[in-house]
Amino acid sequence: MSAPFVLYLAVALAASSLGLLAFVNYRERKRVEHQLKVRQMSLAAETIEDMLNTLENLSKYRPLFCTLSEELIRRYQDLQHFDPEASNVLVRVQRAEQLLDSYKNKGNDRAINRICSSDQAIHKTERQLQEIIDILIHMFNDKLIDDKQLSPLMQELEYTQLAVEVISGVAQGHRLYNEGEFVDANSHYFHAQKLSMQSKATHPNRQRLVDELGEIINRERLALSEDLMPETLYNPERKTENNPGTALEEGLGFEQHQS
């Protein structure tokens, strides 16, 4: 075997090895990219599920739940088309379809609780609601929903953002009222009314909040109407003896805030 032939054979084997290595690396890169894409698509769908779970405690507005459920179905179907072998993808599609059916048929007797225990919890909930707003705007930009569909959904979410802070403040005011801290309670009611007045939310309930909070401040009612605030756990009860309302009229601070 001549030296040139041996050299040629060595070069050919080296080139073949390099080509095989490049092909293996290419296949591995594609596999990793595929897995990453599947993971991203799964997380995007799971984000919608998390949003629906968040909304369960905050709203009863059926079109909002149906719209997000339809988006959840679409995302899982996209994942199914991209990778039919993705983990439990068919089950996920079916579960999302069942969820949509349940929201379409579900009544409005479900309890909600928008009371947050701290400012941090309020801000966290408001951020979660803003993320839902961002998703809906993205869907609108992608022509998945039109302006007629988007407008009432935005109205509901913007009002819910307001309600979380207002209802939490009113609940704190009620707690203080029940403890006899009437001046501090009144300041919470005033703050809640100020938030309602300053809000740009267009939902008709915003003005009702303003009006009924004014009635609470003026001692014309003890609590908001139950359809505005079904979270009645802390609602004050009128007492026949040692009525706090009488004490308030004797100078515990209501009039001081109105000057």
Side-chain angles (χ1 to χ4, degrees):
M1 187 177 295
S2 64
F5 178 77
V6 171
L7 179 61
Y8 172 80
L9 183 60
V11 170
L13 288 172
S16 177
S17 298
L18 289 174
L20 179 60
L21 180 62
F23 177 73
V24 170
N25 288 339
Y26 171 79
R27 289 288 300 273
E28 178 63 16
R29 185 173 70 252
K30 286 297 183 181
R31 186 187 67 82
V32 171
E33 289 175 353
H34 181 87
Q35 289 182 335
L36 179 60
K37 180 66 174 178
V38 168
R39 182 59 180 159
Q40 289 173 338
M41 295 178 76
S42 294
L43 286 174
E46 290 165 8
T47 296
I48 302 296
E49 289 190 269
D50 291 340
M51 290 177 176
L52 286 166
N53 290 332
T54 296
L55 281 173
E56 284 278 351
N57 286 327
L58 302 176
S59 176
K60 295 184 179 182
Y61 190 58
R62 187 177 301 169
L64 180 56
F65 287 93
C66 291
T67 299
L68 288 174
S69 296
E70 289 167 354
E71 175 64 6
L72 178 63
I73 293 171
R74 187 187 69 81
R75 293 192 178 198
Y76 276 136
Q77 286 176 337
D78 286 348
L79 175 58
Q80 185 180 27
H81 294 152
F82 181 76
D83 185 355
E85 303 301 321
S87 177
N88 299 321
V89 65
L90 180 59
V91 174
R92 293 182 183 185
V93 172
Q94 293 172 342
R95 187 180 63 192
E97 291 171 341
Q98 292 169 357
L99 188 62
L100 175 60
D101 288 339
S102 72
Y103 284 130
K104 286 181 176 179
N105 299 320
K106 187 180 292 186
N108 283 335
D109 55 348
R110 174 170 46 84
I112 60 173
N113 183 9
R114 295 160 293 181
I115 298 174
C116 295
S117 59
S118 66
D119 288 343
Q120 183 179 6
I122 290 173
H123 296 327
K124 178 181 178 181
T125 302
E126 289 176 335
R127 285 196 303 271
Q128 291 172 325
L129 289 167
Q130 185 58 51
E131 289 171 359
I132 298 173
I133 290 174
D134 293 342
I135 286 288
L136 292 175
I137 292 174
H138 182 74
M139 291 172 63
F140 173 76
N141 291 336
D142 286 346
K143 302 187 185 306
L144 297 171
I145 56 175
D146 58 29
D147 184 65
K148 186 177 180 181
Q149 294 170 293
L150 178 64
S151 181
L153 301 177
M154 294 290 287
Q155 184 183 68
E156 174 68 16
L157 285 167
E158 288 169 354
Y159 173 72
T160 303
Q161 283 184 310
L162 170 65
V164 165
E165 191 163 6
V166 168
I167 298 304
S168 297
V170 171
Q172 180 61 23
H174 288 345
R175 289 192 191 101
L176 292 166
Y177 184 98
N178 291 331
E179 293 169 1
E181 301 291 339
F182 307 122
V183 176
D184 289 339
N186 193 52
S187 65
H188 279 278
Y189 300 145
F190 262 101
H191 181 63
Q193 187 188 47
K194 180 180 178 181
L195 289 173
S196 302
M197 294 173 67
Q198 293 178 341
S199 172
K200 296 180 180 179
T202 58
H203 197 288
N205 280 356
R206 183 195 68 82
Q207 187 57 47
R208 288 187 61 202
L209 285 174
V210 173
D211 296 340
E212 292 197 13
L213 284 165
E215 293 172 4
I216 292 175
I217 291 167
N218 292 326
R219 303 178 305 287
E220 297 170 8
R221 63 164 60 232
L222 284 175
L224 295 171
S225 297
E226 195 164 335
D227 66 312
L228 281 179
M229 185 175 171
E231 303 92 336
T232 59
L233 178 63
Y234 303 106
N235 280 12
E237 295 182 2
R238 194 175 299 280
K239 300 176 182 179
T240 57
E241 297 181 5
N242 193 25
N243 189 330
T246 303
L248 290 171
E249 292 173 359
E250 293 174 355
L252 279 176
F254 277 80
E255 289 78 13
Q256 296 175 18
H257 289 278
Q258 292 178 320
S259 60

